[in-house]
Amino acid sequence: MKQINFSFRSRASSLGFAWEGLLSFFRRETNAWIHLASTLAVCVLAVYCRVSLTEVIALVIVTGFVWVAELFNTVVEKIMDFISSQRNPDIKIIKDLAAGGVLLSAVIALVTGVIIFIPKLF
C-alpha cells in the first residue's frame, strides 16, 4: 500500500466530504430533524434549569451518542439497500440491529435526562 503524506489540503477535502455527508443526512432523513428538535429541546431545558457543568457534559455525551448512532444506522440502512432492494431476512436482521443501537442510545439519553431534569423541575 502506498503511503500518503499528510497535507492540509487533503485534510480540508476530508472535512468538506464530512460536511457534505451531514448536509445529505439532513436533506434526506426525517430522523435527523427529529433528533435536531430533541437536541434543541434539551439545550433550552438545560438553560432553563441551570444545569451544572458536569450535567452539561453528561447531556452532551449522551446527545452526541444518539446522533452518532443515528448516522451509523443510516449508513447501515443505505448499504443494505444498495446490496439488495428485495426483502431478505438476513438484511432485515442487520437493519434491525442497527436500529436497536439507536433505540438503546436514545433510552440511555432519556434516562440521563430524567435523572438530571426531573429533580430540577419537580
Side-chain angles (χ1 to χ4, degrees), residues 54-81:
T54 304
E55 292 166 331
V56 168
I57 291 167
L59 292 170
V60 167
I61 290 169
V62 296
T63 302
F65 185 44
V66 173
W67 278 101
V68 171
E70 185 61 50
L71 280 162
F72 281 126
N73 178 55
T74 301
V75 168
V76 169
E77 287 181 359
K78 298 297 180 195
I79 291 170
M80 294 300 103
D81 290 345

Side-chain angles (χ1 to χ4, degrees), residues 13-118:
S13 291
S14 294
L15 188 59
F17 297 141
W19 276 112
E20 188 59 38
L22 289 175
L23 289 173
S24 175
F25 180 61
F26 279 98
R27 275 188 231 117
R28 298 171 186 227
E29 301 299 322
T30 305
N31 286 347
W33 293 98
I34 294 169
H35 290 301
L36 181 60
S38 299
T39 300
L40 292 174
V42 167
C43 291
V44 168
L45 201 53
V47 170
Y48 176 78
C49 291
R50 297 182 178 163
V51 299
S52 70
L53 179 60
T54 304
E55 292 166 331
V56 168
I57 291 167
L59 292 170
V60 167
I61 290 169
V62 296
T63 302
F65 185 44
V66 173
W67 278 101
V68 171
E70 185 61 50
L71 280 162
F72 281 126
N73 178 55
T74 301
V75 168
V76 169
E77 287 181 359
K78 298 297 180 195
I79 291 170
M80 294 300 103
D81 290 345
F82 181 77
I83 289 172
S84 175
S85 60
Q86 297 176 351
R87 291 197 179 265
N88 180 314
D90 294 327
I91 288 177
K92 181 186 181 322
I93 291 169
I94 292 166
K95 287 177 149 185
D96 289 351
L97 287 168
V102 177
L103 178 61
L104 183 59
S105 69
V107 168
I108 292 167
L110 179 65
V111 169
T112 303
V114 165
I115 291 168
I116 291 171
F117 292 123
I118 292 296

